[in-house]
Amino acid sequence: MNELLLERLKKEYEVRQLDIGKDAVLSRKGLRFEIASYEVNGLGHLCTMSMKGMMGLMKMETCVLSATEKDLPLFNLDRITAMGKNTQIVEFYDDQLVPLKEETCDRFMAIKEASEKFEDYVSGEHWYDSILYPFTYAQKNGKGKAFDAVCERYIEEYLKLAKETESCDPAQKKQKVEVFARELFTKGGPAVNQFKKLFGEETAERVVVKHMYGAKL
């Protein structure tokens, strides 16, 4: 999944990997995280993260694409595999200067409605639920190939929208992304809370705010 998005971006944009030093590989309590951070010229910031644990029985991939040069939603992909069962989450957050038009939302909603249905994944209530677009996709106990197809359709539609969207003021958009990143770090979420417990506040802040969203500390 991470490789799919990264390679797709490289076909249309200049992608430059950033040096994040010791944070590129973090290990604790049998869990190993590999993190990479990129600048996508003309679009924004990309972070990919992979995790392995329990001797390979648990795996996770996460991609975060924060558009700062185009006024697009924050795009987040998660794939979790545990004991042979898959969970796929495709999230879009309204961190925009101007919310999406209804017809644009309909395009993404069509992908969600046409995708193969498995079992709904519900993670509980969170502070950011109010800014999640309704075409977010969250399913569990599905097949890997079916989930790959869902990812690919969402990625293609997002990049198509990026081509159609005029450039915005990057300073204003970066501020919106930074507000989200800092709220996520401060108010937390399932993954962020776990990361804080494993590696402490200082490392978690660098990873979440700086590496994941490209915001300044």
Side-chain angles (χ1 to χ4, degrees):
M1 184 188 73
N2 289 358
E3 199 63 28
L4 174 66
L5 178 56
L6 182 59
E7 291 306 313
R8 189 64 186 79
L9 286 168
K10 286 180 177 179
K11 289 182 179 180
E12 297 187 29
Y13 298 92
E14 178 187 347
V15 179
R16 181 174 70 89
Q17 186 168 357
L18 305 174
D19 182 2
I20 62 171
K22 63 183 181 180
D23 294 333
V25 179
L26 296 170
S27 298
R28 189 69 52 87
K29 295 185 178 180
L31 302 177
R32 175 185 170 89
F33 294 82
E34 295 183 4
I35 304 165
S37 184
Y38 305 86
E39 286 183 356
V40 184
N41 189 32
L43 186 58
H45 182 85
L46 172 70
C47 178
T48 63
M49 179 185 297
S50 61
M51 183 276 288
K52 292 183 180 179
M54 299 174 64
M55 299 180 68
L57 294 175
M58 183 173 181
K59 299 177 183 179
M60 180 189 73
E61 284 187 285
T62 295
C63 306
V64 178
L65 181 54
S66 308
T68 53
E69 297 184 51
K70 298 288 185 81
D71 192 20
L72 300 171
L74 192 153
F75 184 22
N76 188 93
L77 292 166
D78 287 297
R79 172 79 60 79
I80 304 159
T81 302
M83 307 302 181
K85 295 185 177 181
N86 294 314
T87 298
Q88 175 80 20
I89 304 169
V90 184
E91 294 173 318
F92 297 86
Y93 293 89
D94 180 4
D95 69 338
Q96 296 160 255
L97 304 173
V98 179
L100 289 180
K101 296 178 180 179
E102 185 176 348
E103 55 264 35
T104 304
C105 293
D106 290 343
R107 286 162 53 177
F108 285 99
M109 185 61 79
I111 296 174
K112 178 178 180 177
E113 292 176 347
S115 297
E116 187 173 353
K117 302 300 186 293
F118 299 102
E119 184 179 345
D120 288 343
Y121 171 77
V122 181
S123 65
E125 295 183 356
H126 305 290
W127 67 269
Y128 45 73
D129 291 345
S130 62
I131 58 171
L132 268 177
Y133 277 108
F135 46 81
T136 285
Y137 176 93
Q139 297 272 287
K140 63 181 180 178
N141 299 331
K143 301 173 184 178
K145 288 185 178 180
F147 281 162
D148 288 343
V150 172
C151 281
E152 190 166 2
R153 287 194 290 269
Y154 274 115
I155 289 169
E156 289 302 320
E157 191 61 46
Y158 189 89
L159 295 182
K160 181 180 178 182
L161 180 61
K163 282 185 175 182
E164 299 169 357
T165 304
E166 296 291 329
S167 297
C168 65
D169 182 343
Q172 289 186 42
K173 192 60 164 63
K174 285 179 181 179
Q175 186 176 28
K176 296 281 283 186
V177 171
E178 183 174 347
V179 167
F180 177 87
R182 293 198 175 280
E183 279 199 292
L184 180 60
F185 175 73
T186 302
K187 296 180 180 179
V192 173
N193 295 342
Q194 181 66 16
F195 210 86
K196 286 180 179 180
K197 289 179 181 178
L198 286 171
F199 299 106
E201 295 279 328
E202 184 177 342
T203 298
E205 184 177 20
R206 275 199 317 274
V207 171
V208 173
V209 176
K210 184 178 180 181
H211 305 328
M212 291 189 75
Y213 296 97
K216 294 181 180 179
L217 292 178

